[in-house]
Each structure stands twice: as structure tokens, then as C-alpha cells.
Amino acid sequence: MNADNNTALDEQQRARIKSAVNTVMKDHPFFAAALSGMPIILDRRYPTACTDGFVIRCNPDFTATLNDYELVGLLIHEVCHPLFGHLVRFLSAMKAGNGGLVNRATDYE
């Protein structure tokens, strides 16, 4: 995909993510406070989405494959990692190079 196409897709996905955030704020108040404190960054270095507990990073090529309900679910999913303590409880395993395993295990949880 060329730069012009990426720019257009990125803008489209920013708008969709903003709408999904608004849906979380309106319909899912338990997650709203946590999500409101986490900036969402478009980042193609990651295949899907991830969080470090401070920001959520989403690959716009991936979010473009999701419908609106799935996008809301993705944001809630990512905010659950810090809410459920995954980033603290598994810090030593992640530092030891087992981040992929930790991610799969906490996703399964």
C-alpha cells in the first residue's frame, strides 16, 4: 500500500476508533475510565493491537478488517490487560523474553 493509501486508511481508522471509544464510554462504563486514560496510537509495527498499560497501539490495516462491534471489543480487550494486572503479574516473564507466551496466555484468560 502506498503512502497516500496509508494516509487515507489511517484517517478512516482514526475516525472509527474515535467512534468505538465513544461507544465504550456510552455503553460500557466499567471500562470507560481506564480507556479514557490510554491514548490510542496507530502503529504498523505490530500485527494487530497491544498495550503497555499506558497506551494502546493498533495496526490500522488490522482494525480495517474488524466490524464496529469487533473494534469496540478490541479496545475493551486491550484495556483489560492492565485492569486485570497482566502487565504487573507477568513482568518477569516478559522481561525474560516470553512476551509472546504471556500475551497468548493472558488473551486466553
Side-chain angles (χ1 to χ4, degrees):
M1 192 175 272
N2 67 38
D4 289 337
N5 288 342
N6 279 348
T7 301
L9 179 67
D10 290 358
E11 289 308 312
Q12 178 188 44
Q13 293 311 302
R14 278 189 189 90
R16 290 187 67 233
I17 289 168
K18 183 177 180 180
S19 177
V21 168
N22 289 339
T23 298
V24 173
M25 298 301 168
K26 180 175 62 82
D27 296 342
H28 306 283
F30 177 81
F31 302 105
L35 183 59
S36 69
M38 297 179 75
I40 301 171
I41 299 168
L42 298 183
D43 193 333
R44 285 187 170 80
R45 292 178 298 167
Y46 302 94
T48 56
C50 64
T51 185
D52 62 1
F54 299 101
V55 300
I56 295 173
R57 296 182 183 279
C58 296
N59 184 323
D61 299 319
F62 172 69
T63 60
T65 69
L66 304 177
N67 67 38
D68 292 342
Y69 296 106
E70 291 168 329
L71 187 54
V72 168
L74 174 72
L75 296 178
I76 291 172
H77 169 92
E78 291 304 329
V79 86
C80 282
H81 285 297
L83 285 177
F84 294 158
H86 297 162
L87 304 170
V88 175
R89 290 187 299 158
F90 300 103
L91 184 60
S92 61
M94 289 187 290
K95 285 184 176 180
N98 294 316
L101 177 63
V102 167
N103 186 49
R104 287 188 300 280
T106 57
D107 283 351
Y108 182 73
E109 177 193 20

